[in-house]
Amino acid sequence: MKVLKFGGTSVANAQNIKLVLDIIINKAKEEKLIVVVSAFSKITDLLQLASQKAAAGDESFKEILADLEKKHLDALKELIPVSEQSSLLSHIKRIVNHLETLLDGCYLLGELSPRTSDTILSFGELLSSYIIAEALKQNLKNSSYKDSRELIKTDNHFGKATVNFEVSNQLIAEFFDSNENQVVVMPGFIAASMDGINTTLGRGGSDYTAAILAGALNATDLEIWTDVNGMYTANPKIVKQAQPIAFISYQEAMELSHFGAKVLYPPTIQPVLRKNIPILIKNTFEPEAEGTYISNQEMDHTNPVKGISHIDNITLITLEGPGMIGVTGSSKRLFEVLSHENINVIFITQASSEHSICIGILNSDADVAEDAINRAFEVEILQNKIDPCIVEKNLCIIALVGENMKNHQGLSGRMFSTLGKNNVNIRAIAQGASERNISAVINERDVKKALNSLHENFFEENTKQLNLFVMGVGNVGEKFIEQIYQQNKFLKDNLKINVRVIALSNSRKMHFDEDGISLKNWQSALENGEEANKEKFLYNVKELNLRNSIFVDITANESVSKTYEQYLKRNIAVVTCNKIACASEYDNYKKLKKLSRQFNAPFLFETNVGAGLPIIDTVKNLIASGDKVNKIQAVLSGSLNFIFNNFNENSTFHDVVKEAGIQGFTEPDPKIDLSGIDVARKILILIRESGYKMEIDEIVNESFMPAECLDTTNNEAFFKSLIEHAAHFETIYKEALSKDSRLKYVAQFENGKANVGLRFIPKDHPFYNLEGKDNIVLFFTDRYVDQPLLIKGAGAGAAVTASGIFADVIRIGNV
């Protein structure tokens, strides 16, 4: 004999019930079945709400009752032929009338006792089981209905009654010894006391009903049919990459169900564990799926961690003080207080010094617990021997679960290291001697990040997911997204990095998608997004609180650069080609670097100097290895190098600058390049990364541009001024020609001083043959004295800049 239990979603409506009937009929061909059913989906909640409203004198309970009646009548009408509906509809109406009488009583008395509540809540299962039993008879004549209250007997602890197994097992055995039906349908969740009063087995108690029956009858299997493919490695609603667990032990299943795996009610396992009856969790809507098999058989121990689970709405209460040290009975008194208040303790940890003891309870019990504990220890608190209890609400318990964890070293370290890297603060830790469970209390706002980070570490073959929030999708931004799209498969297969773009923003629009924006049609998604707002963008990023979050700034906007601090403080990495932050006041630059270290949030800006060239990274490595930079000479503007390489007697300065803009070599405002401020920022960043303190105004900027050109307020006026001052630029070019030199805009640092300006470069200089938009940097260090360390290559252009940003993202992925 098998026992099958179908949950609320499986019997939510007539359409779902038809799937359930197919499963039952097919299985009944092979052996006898007991079918236990829950109430229709959400009906128990409606019954509870209706009873509360009735007791509160709110007549809207009648509307809930009418809706409840309609749901059941509609289901029956769809499942039963019209010719046979009359008597069945009358029976449903009699049950509903009985329910209405009880609710009217609550309304008139203005109260709802636990006993009455249990009776009202029982109607959900009574209605669903009756309808399903009658629908089954239409296809399987050798089937019947049995009221669970006649077989399962409990005490009078209403709301979560304790089963009298001795009496119940005897009644169950006697009934089924004489029952010849192939299938018996029974309501779950409900029972009766020894004197015949309705009781319930706790929310989720239909699983328990099925387990009680299976244990009493030594069933071959207990099948729990639900709406998911078994128990998962984590909650699939929170962790999209969660996978079904094929095989799991009773003990592991109990741990996971205790920690919130809602597919199985925790007490369910106990009745079948004693009899070694396996439990199979199956999906009603995918019956061919493998499901989860729970037994005491030897399992595959490839991964010692079987699952990661959590409990929400936790409050941590800490009792501490010198008066607890060496004093026997303190813990006993604490737990007695909570027991008297009927408060369940979910989590316990105590310091070996006995100075403090910490417990986790539900948020809903926190106020009562705080008051009761402070009253119980009132004398010690007044004598300053014990402090008033410390209450921290809105927390969450996360747990690693695995039967074989005790045989693997370092799991705790991996767990806490993973949480630490993602800036998840741990408030308390507990681990049982069995080492089957490692639990930690964290802030509930971090639960999604924590679960995903841990799941990634323990179950996803070390694939690291990076969540990108990109601001700025102009020329460089477009190339950056294009490169991510092209390389996505390569990164997953070879580097085990999964890059997702969660948000995009330009100056007009922004768009967020927590599941990742499709990079095939990101333009249309952005165009249909909401109005761009830097503050709301930042707020959304923080609220999503995703693991391995990276803010990518591909703008040249000063106000955007001022938001870096807020991102870093929330453990959100910053990758930027925007030079303004690192070239701002030295104190701000140092603060950003400090925040990066403090909150374990990378702050990378390789593209600030040399676009995709590894210039900053080289400086960092030089300094880290103990070298000292003494002198820097560099051509750091690809746009200016392009301009002066193409400016000759056959082209005007105006035309060359225009062309540089068209090819994407200059900033949207070309004055940033031509004024020399961009080069000044770059050399300043190299100086600071070399370990020197310097401000931007300490760099001598020898501008070659007429003041009238730099004073223009828009691009149109600027380009007009270039035409008006054409002779000025021609004179500079002719002077270079007369000196047999080439024009290069050079940055230099030596002896604590720095300058930028246009220089006449002779033929024997390394800068002379620098072509196109290339950059070149010479580092003279303690180790590179006679021959400087030289870095040379393309220093401008959307594609190379995007590749530099991409490289910084990959660096974070490889950490």
Side-chain angles (χ1 to χ4, degrees):
M1 177 178 283
K2 281 187 178 181
V3 179
L4 278 61
K5 178 265 176 177
F6 292 91
T9 51
S10 298
V11 296
N13 50 51
Q15 183 180 353
N16 290 5
I17 292 171
K18 289 176 183 178
L19 298 175
V20 168
L21 295 176
D22 288 341
I23 293 168
I24 295 170
I25 292 166
N26 286 330
K27 286 186 173 289
K29 295 174 184 176
E30 302 171 1
E31 57 190 315
K32 285 188 173 184
L33 305 177
I34 300 172
V35 175
V36 178
V37 297
S38 297
F40 289 5
S41 181
K42 306 298 183 185
I43 291 298
T44 306
D45 290 336
L46 288 175
L47 286 166
Q48 190 169 43
L49 180 62
S51 60
Q52 290 169 347
K53 284 182 175 291
D58 184 346
E59 291 192 2
S60 65
F61 78 88
K62 295 178 180 179
E63 296 173 11
I64 297 173
L65 182 64
D67 181 45
L68 183 147
E69 180 180 17
K70 184 177 184 302
K71 286 179 187 293
H72 290 88
L73 291 176
D74 287 348
L76 189 143
K77 289 174 184 177
E78 190 172 338
L79 293 166
I80 306 295
V82 175
S83 60
E84 300 182 32
Q85 287 180 7
S86 181
S87 62
L88 304 181
L89 290 171
S90 296
H91 185 79
I92 294 291
K93 287 183 178 292
R94 282 195 297 274
I95 295 175
V96 173
N97 288 340
H98 184 193
L99 173 59
E100 185 176 17
T101 300
L102 290 171
L103 291 170
D104 283 337
C106 292
Y107 179 79
L108 292 170
L109 293 171
E111 67 175 15
L112 177 65
S113 69
R115 172 176 170 173
T116 303
S117 178
D118 267 14
T119 300
I120 290 172
L121 294 181
S122 70
F123 279 85
E125 274 71 16
L126 290 173
L127 286 165
S128 66
S129 59
Y130 175 75
I131 291 170
I132 291 165
E134 292 299 325
L136 183 61
K137 288 176 185 177
Q138 304 301 314
N139 300 284
L140 189 67
K141 299 303 181 184
N142 193 19
S143 63
S144 64
Y145 172 82
K146 183 63 177 176
D147 191 334
S148 304
R149 295 174 295 183
E150 297 174 17
L151 303 181
I152 300 176
K153 298 300 178 179
T154 69
D155 63 9
N156 287 320
H157 185 185
F158 300 105
K160 193 174 182 181
T162 300
V163 176
N164 184 327
F165 279 98
E166 183 178 352
V167 174
S168 299
N169 288 348
Q170 184 178 345
L171 290 170
I172 293 166
E174 288 174 355
F175 171 77
F176 283 98
D177 280 346
S178 61
N179 178 71
E180 296 182 356
N181 288 297
Q182 190 70 7
V183 180
V184 177
V185 178
M186 301 178 67
F189 177 57
I190 62 174
S193 65
M194 296 301 294
D195 50 356
I197 299 169
N198 287 338
T199 59
T200 60
L201 303 177
R203 293 299 292 267
S206 292
D207 287 355
Y208 195 27
T209 302
I212 293 166
L213 294 167
L217 297 169
N218 292 308
T220 56
D221 295 285
L222 167 58
E223 296 183 2
I224 307 290
W225 290 80
T226 181
D227 59 351
V228 293
N229 292 333
M231 299 188 85
Y232 277 69
T233 49
N235 186 337
K237 293 180 180 177
I238 298 176
V239 181
K240 302 298 183 184
Q241 291 78 25
Q243 312 142 15
I245 304 170
F247 298 97
I248 191 170
S249 72
Y250 290 122
Q251 289 77 15
E252 289 169 332
M254 276 195 286
E255 292 280 1
L256 285 175
S257 60
H258 171 71
F259 278 91
K262 294 181 174 57
V263 294
L264 191 66
Y265 182 52
T268 302
I269 296 169
Q270 209 59 47
V272 296
L273 172 61
R274 291 193 291 265
K275 301 288 186 71
N276 289 329
I277 298 168
I279 302 173
L280 182 59
I281 300 175
K282 296 278 285 180
N283 189 344
T284 304
F285 308 102
E286 291 184 44
E288 70 286 350
E290 186 178 3
T292 297
Y293 190 79
I294 305 171
S295 72
N296 63 355
Q297 294 178 14
E298 191 69 23
M299 303 294 172
D300 175 25
H301 297 312
T302 305
N303 187 345
V305 179
K306 275 296 172 69
I308 306 164
S309 202
H310 73 290
I311 306 176
D312 289 321
N313 304 314
I314 294 296
T315 290
L316 211 57
I317 295 184
T318 304
L319 188 67
E320 64 181 16
M324 294 178 65
I325 300 173
V327 178
T328 59
S330 296
S331 298
K332 175 179 177 291
R333 288 172 61 193
L334 173 63
F335 292 115
E336 276 184 345
V337 169
L338 298 170
S339 178
H340 290 154
E341 297 294 339
N342 200 28
I343 293 172
N344 184 37
V345 177
I346 300 168
F347 177 98
I348 306 169
T349 184
Q350 183 172 15
S352 59
S353 66
E354 301 182 33
H355 181 263
S356 69
I357 184 168
C358 182
I359 59 167
I361 61 175
L362 292 175
N363 282 341
S364 55
D365 294 327
D367 294 337
V368 174
E370 180 182 14
D371 183 60
I373 294 168
N374 285 338
R375 277 190 281 106
F377 291 89
E378 185 176 8
V379 174
E380 288 90 344
I381 291 171
L382 289 173
Q383 294 174 348
N384 293 320
K385 293 181 178 179
I386 293 178
D387 300 327
C389 61
I390 302 166
V391 179
E392 299 171 81
K393 295 183 179 180
N394 302 320
L395 302 174
C396 173
I397 300 174
I398 56 171
L400 288 189
V401 172
E403 184 71 34
N404 203 40
M405 283 165 45
K406 58 181 175 290
N407 297 323
H408 287 74
Q409 291 75 36
L411 291 177
S412 299
R414 275 178 71 186
M415 177 182 181
F416 301 134
S417 174
T418 300
L419 295 175
K421 286 178 180 177
N422 283 277
N423 203 36
V424 176
N425 187 36
I426 298 171
R427 294 292 304 112
I429 299 166
Q431 181 173 10
S434 69
E435 299 186 42
R436 191 181 293 129
N437 172 322
I438 307 171
S439 303
V441 180
I442 63 172
N443 194 300
E444 65 179 13
R445 73 166 180 267
D446 291 325
V447 66
K448 185 172 184 178
K449 181 196 287 188
L451 290 176
N452 277 278
S453 300
L454 291 171
H455 193 274
E456 183 177 81
N457 191 296
F458 286 99
F459 292 101
E460 297 176 34
E461 297 182 352
N462 293 321
T463 297
K464 188 171 186 178
Q465 181 173 286
L466 305 180
N467 296 298
L468 273 52
F469 301 85
V470 182
M471 185 169 285
V473 285
N475 291 337
V476 176
E478 282 191 14
K479 291 293 184 184
F480 175 65
I481 295 167
E482 181 183 309
Q483 289 171 11
I484 293 174
Y485 180 64
Q486 288 175 348
Q487 292 299 106
N488 206 272
K489 187 175 186 303
F490 174 87
L491 294 176
K492 286 181 182 178
D493 294 345
N494 294 277
L495 301 182
K496 300 299 180 184
I497 296 173
N498 177 25
V499 179
R500 300 192 313 162
V501 177
I502 305 299
L504 291 169
S505 179
N506 57 25
S507 58
R508 298 178 299 102
K509 297 280 188 178
M510 66 182 189
H511 175 65
F512 281 76
D513 187 337
E514 188 176 350
D515 295 325
I517 297 170
S518 170
L519 300 187
K520 279 186 178 179
N521 55 356
W522 65 268
Q523 291 95 337
S524 60
L526 179 59
E527 196 56 39
N528 293 314
E530 59 184 305
E531 184 179 346
N533 181 297
K534 289 188 291 293
E535 290 73 25
K536 189 173 182 183
F537 190 94
L538 171 61
Y539 174 82
N540 289 349
V541 177
K542 292 194 291 187
E543 282 298 299
L544 284 172
N545 198 23
L546 300 178
R547 70 194 187 282
N548 305 323
S549 291
I550 305 174
F551 174 60
V552 183
D553 178 15
I554 315 180
T555 74
N557 189 295
E558 183 175 3
S559 62
V560 174
S561 73
K562 290 180 178 178
T563 64
Y564 296 172
E565 178 180 346
Q566 298 302 315
Y567 286 105
L568 295 171
K569 283 181 176 178
R570 288 299 299 269
N571 182 238
I572 298 164
V574 175
V575 169
T576 179
C577 62
N578 186 345
K579 293 173 279 292
I580 294 175
C582 289
S584 62
E585 294 81 5
Y586 182 79
D587 288 345
N588 184 59
Y589 159 80
K590 292 297 288 185
K591 180 172 70 174
L592 293 177
K593 303 273 279 190
K594 181 181 178 182
L595 289 173
S596 172
R597 293 189 297 271
Q598 181 180 349
F599 293 96
N600 194 32
F603 175 40
L604 301 181
F605 42 90
E606 184 64 65
T607 49
N608 275 196
V609 182
L613 296 175
I615 298 173
I616 291 176
D617 197 47
T618 300
V619 175
K620 288 179 178 177
N621 291 335
L622 287 173
I623 301 304
S625 67
D627 203 355
K628 180 183 178 183
V629 175
N630 300 310
K631 178 180 176 182
I632 304 171
Q633 284 186 319
V635 173
L636 296 173
S637 173
S639 54
L640 285 174
N641 199 45
F642 174 88
I643 288 168
F644 286 112
N645 279 337
N646 288 278
F647 176 42
N648 53 47
E649 61 274 4
N650 299 318
S651 59
T652 67
F653 192 73
H654 166 275
D655 292 345
V656 175
V657 174
K658 270 280 190 184
E659 181 61 27
I662 292 169
Q663 294 198 28
F665 298 150
T666 66
E667 299 288 349
D669 179 1
K671 289 197 297 294
I672 295 174
D673 296 285
L674 292 166
S675 66
I677 185 62
D678 189 57
V679 175
R681 286 171 177 160
K682 290 176 180 179
I683 192 65
L684 177 65
I685 292 167
L686 288 184
I687 292 166
R688 288 175 172 178
E689 289 297 301
S690 299
Y692 297 94
K693 181 178 180 180
M694 184 172 282
E695 301 288 357
I696 190 74
D697 56 13
E698 295 178 60
I699 298 174
V700 177
N701 187 346
E702 304 168 16
S703 178
F704 69 93
M705 292 289 293
E708 293 85 351
C709 296
L710 297 177
D711 290 340
T712 55
T713 57
N714 56 64
N715 283 359
E716 184 180 352
F718 174 73
F719 281 108
K720 184 179 178 182
S721 73
L722 294 184
I723 296 173
E724 292 171 353
H725 292 83
H728 169 78
F729 302 113
E730 294 251 356
T731 301
I732 296 173
Y733 171 73
K734 288 177 180 177
E735 185 178 354
L737 205 61
S738 67
K739 294 180 177 179
D740 201 18
S741 299
R742 299 184 73 177
L743 292 169
K744 302 292 176 186
Y745 201 87
V746 177
Q748 181 162 309
F749 168 74
E750 188 175 11
N751 297 325
K753 295 183 178 181
N755 60 74
V756 297
L758 196 60
R759 301 285 183 262
F760 299 108
I761 304 299
K763 286 184 177 181
D764 58 351
H765 197 282
F767 294 173
Y768 184 85
N769 291 312
L770 192 66
E771 299 296 336
K773 58 184 182 299
D774 285 0
N775 281 189
I776 188 170
V777 183
L778 306 179
F779 289 109
F780 298 83
T781 74
D782 285 353
R783 295 175 189 156
Y784 294 89
V785 181
D786 300 324
Q787 292 294 325
L789 173 63
L790 184 151
I791 302 172
K792 178 181 176 183
V800 292
T801 304
S803 70
I805 297 168
F806 199 176
D808 274 348
V809 170
I810 301 308
R811 281 189 183 93
I812 294 173
N814 286 327
V815 172

